[in-house]
Amino acid sequence: MNVGTLDLLAVDFIDKQTGWAVGDIDPGGAGGAIYQTLDGGRNWRPIAHTNEILTAVHFVSLKAGGVCPRW
């Protein structure tokens, strides 16, 4: 995935390797997506798509965290 082509609005890492990014999935604003990296940001994979644009992300562990849609 080429994350550089997306409008990512927030990024959060719980350690040097594990992080999440959220934002638009297309420039027209058709929805949002959550991406995860397990290698310090070298590679990102989509883990969820939403109908809302996501603007914030915060995780406290690998399995506990949350995202916030645009208000």
Side-chain angles (χ1 to χ4, degrees):
M1 175 190 68
N2 186 356
V3 175
T5 64
L6 303 172
D7 293 323
L8 297 175
L9 303 173
V11 177
D12 186 46
F13 277 79
I14 59 168
D15 58 36
K16 290 182 180 181
Q17 297 299 309
T18 310
W20 294 264
V22 298
D24 294 334
I25 59 171
D26 78 40
I34 304 171
Y35 295 90
Q36 182 184 47
T37 182
L38 300 173
D39 61 6
R42 285 185 293 280
N43 296 288
W44 293 85
R45 67 183 178 99
I47 60 171
H49 292 273
T50 70
N51 291 330
E52 298 179 281
I53 297 169
L54 302 173
T55 59
V57 59
H58 181 70
F59 275 75
V60 294
S61 72
L62 188 58
K63 295 184 179 183
V67 298
C68 182
R70 175 179 61 181
W71 305 16

